[in-house]
Structures are given as structure tokens and as C-alpha cells.
Amino acid sequence: MDELLIILVRGMGIGSLYGLIAIALNVAYNATGVLNFAQGQLLVLSGVMTYLWVPHDAGVASILWWLAFVAVILGTALAGTLQGLVTLLPMRRKGGGHSWVPTTIAASVVIGALLILWIGPQVVHVPNYFGTVPVAGSNVPGAYPLLFVALILIWVGLRWYQRKSLTGLALSALSQDLDAARTTGVPTMRLQLFSFGLAAGITAIAGFLGASVIEVADSSGLHYTTFGFVVAVVGGIGNNFGAVIAGPLFGILLMFVTYQFGGGLQVVAALAVVIVVLMLKPEGIFGRPHARRV
């Protein structure tokens, strides 16, 4: 029973990180129709920034810690915006509607290569700034429950922002009908770049809070992109509420599989979940079916 409780807490935490990646994927997808395959590398980038920019002797109560937190978010958001520019420009040309597939994959490779040049081919170990939480006689890193809290707060904040702010309403208009928004004078390119930056900022929060409990290495980006994409698909592409529900549940499943059978079966379990969900409900659990044009 104690082991199951620890699996629950750890699984909800790591699943919340995947949920945050899924929300970031949704933010960019709703505004641009692009699934950013470089999102996982942006997570790793934020983890590397956390390792390099936060003084190792600084705690949460330190002003330097908070300044580094803001710097990591802004730095990752800037990288995401630049990547968005490289991704979106070819799409504006005739016949470039699907150019985002190779450009986002290429961006992931380039970011990984730049990380190798920056820190070398190594796994960096970020200190635990959040202490531990006692669970069933064991100490669990505080980053796990903090990631779950961050997932809920970001979902609530995004929901408010998209309904109450002018920019949020404009982003919602892009998700409903991009061509109609463009004809009414909405600055679509600017908003789409903003969506990439916003998605990267959300990813940076996940990377900063979870850097001490994940693998921060140039080779880890594909792993986080894949599992974040799985959560987005299961919850329903474009549906942030689906990501909030599917993320923690998916993390608990992966943690249970790892506990029972070893980490080598995590990918198998993830693919099995996708196959089952798509067979039963192709649009995802909380997704909406789209009418097909004929």
C-alpha cells in the first residue's frame, strides 16, 4: 500500500510535467496548426539554463533564485519565438502548408546540437531546491507535487487569459478560423509568434520546476516530446482540460509499469495507450470530432 501511494505521488508529478508539455503543444497548435516537435528540446534547454543560471547555494527565498526563474522563462520564450519564426515563414508561401514537419524536427536537432556545444554530451544534475515531502514513510522530492500545482494553475490562468484578455480572445479566434481572423485585420503572424513564445514559456516553467527530477541532456528531448504528444493525443489535440486530466493519469500508469516491469516498457505502455484511445475515440477523450469536407 505504501508503494502504491509513492507511485501515485511520483506519477502525478511526472505526468503533470507531460501535461504541461501537452498544454504548450496545444497553445501553438490552436494558433498555427503546428505540432512543435522541438517542444521537448525546449524543455531540456530550460533545464540547462536552470543548471547554469541558478546559484547552487541559492534557495527559494533568495532573490537570485527568482531572478534566474524569470530569466529562464524569458530565455526559453525567446528561443521558442525564434523557432516559431523559422517554422512559420515557409508556411506562408504557396504549397508550404506542411513545411512545419521538417522545420520543427530540424529545429529539435539544431537545439540539441547547440546544447552539446554549450555543455557537452552530458547529463546535468540540477540541485533540488524544493526539499522533500514525507509520503508513506519515505521522502519524495517536492518538485513532484509542485509540478501538479503548476499544471492546475497554468490551466486556470490560460483559461482566464483566453476568455478575458484581448490577446487571448484573438488567439481563440485564430483557433476557430484562421482565414476569417486574417480577413478581419487580426495580426495573425504576430499572434502566432506570440503563441510559440507563450508555449515555450509554459515549457520553461515545467523545465525549471522539474529539472531536479528529470534527465537533462541533449538526447532527452525526443522522450519528452513523445510523451507530451501522447498526453495531448489522449486528452484531445487542442484541449487543455484533456491534458490536465490525461497527464497525471498517464504518469501514474508509467510509474506503475516502471515499478512492476522496469523502465524499458514505458514506451510500449505509451504506445499501447495511444492505440487503445484512438481505436475507441479517434479525436481523444476530450476532443471534438471535426466535420470532413467533401
Side-chain angles (χ1 to χ4, degrees):
M1 186 64 184
D2 290 347
E3 291 82 359
L4 291 178
L5 187 58
I6 294 173
I7 289 172
L8 182 68
V9 174
R10 286 178 172 267
M12 288 182 66
I14 198 66
S16 295
L17 182 134
Y18 298 142
L20 287 168
I21 298 174
I23 287 178
L25 289 170
N26 287 337
V27 167
Y29 175 80
N30 286 336
T32 65
V34 171
L35 286 169
N36 188 7
F37 295 131
Q39 207 70 55
Q41 285 291 21
L42 290 173
L43 179 85
V44 175
L45 175 63
S46 66
V48 171
M49 290 179 180
T50 302
Y51 173 75
L52 294 176
W53 293 354
V54 179
H56 289 188
D57 58 345
V60 178
S62 169
I63 186 65
L64 294 177
W65 189 92
W66 288 99
L67 289 174
F69 182 37
V70 174
V72 169
I73 294 175
L74 294 178
T76 310
L78 176 61
T81 303
L82 292 175
Q83 187 238 320
L85 181 63
V86 173
T87 301
L88 293 173
L89 283 179
M91 293 177 62
R92 299 176 70 86
R93 300 170 186 166
K94 186 177 180 180
H98 297 289
S99 62
W100 59 267
V101 177
T103 54
T104 56
I105 293 175
S108 177
V109 174
V110 169
I111 294 173
L114 291 175
L115 288 174
I116 291 178
L117 292 175
W118 195 6
I119 63 170
Q122 61 170 320
V123 178
V124 298
H125 300 284
V126 179
N128 177 16
Y129 299 106
F130 309 110
T132 58
V133 177
V135 177
S138 179
N139 289 323
V140 175
Y144 286 118
L146 194 57
L147 282 167
F148 179 72
V149 172
L151 176 67
I152 302 300
L153 291 179
I154 287 176
W155 172 68
V156 172
L158 271 177
R159 186 177 177 85
W160 177 88
Y161 179 74
Q162 291 170 344
R163 293 188 174 191
K164 300 298 182 180
S165 72
L166 185 60
T167 305
L169 290 171
L171 287 174
S172 298
L174 293 186
S175 67
Q176 295 174 23
D177 195 325
L178 177 60
D179 293 330
R182 185 180 290 120
T183 57
T184 57
V186 174
T188 55
M189 184 65 174
R190 191 187 311 164
L191 287 171
Q192 288 177 329
L193 287 175
F194 175 74
S195 73
F196 266 87
L198 179 60
I202 293 171
T203 303
I205 294 174
F208 189 91
L209 298 179
S212 61
V213 295
I214 63 174
E215 183 179 274
V216 180
D218 65 281
S219 59
S220 303
L222 179 60
H223 168 88
Y224 300 122
T225 299
T226 301
F227 283 11
F229 177 71
V230 168
V231 171
V233 169
V234 171
I237 293 291
N239 191 307
N240 290 335
F241 179 71
V244 170
I245 300 299
L249 292 177
F250 180 67
I252 292 170
L253 172 64
L254 291 184
M255 197 63 64
F256 180 77
V257 169
T258 302
Y259 175 75
Q260 290 289 344
F261 309 106
L265 289 180
Q266 279 194 351
V267 175
V268 176
L271 294 177
V273 168
V274 172
I275 291 171
V276 171
V277 170
L278 293 181
M279 287 179 62
L280 298 176
K281 198 173 183 187
E283 66 274 11
I285 297 175
F286 295 95
R288 296 181 179 179
H290 298 280
R292 179 183 297 175
R293 293 183 179 179
V294 295

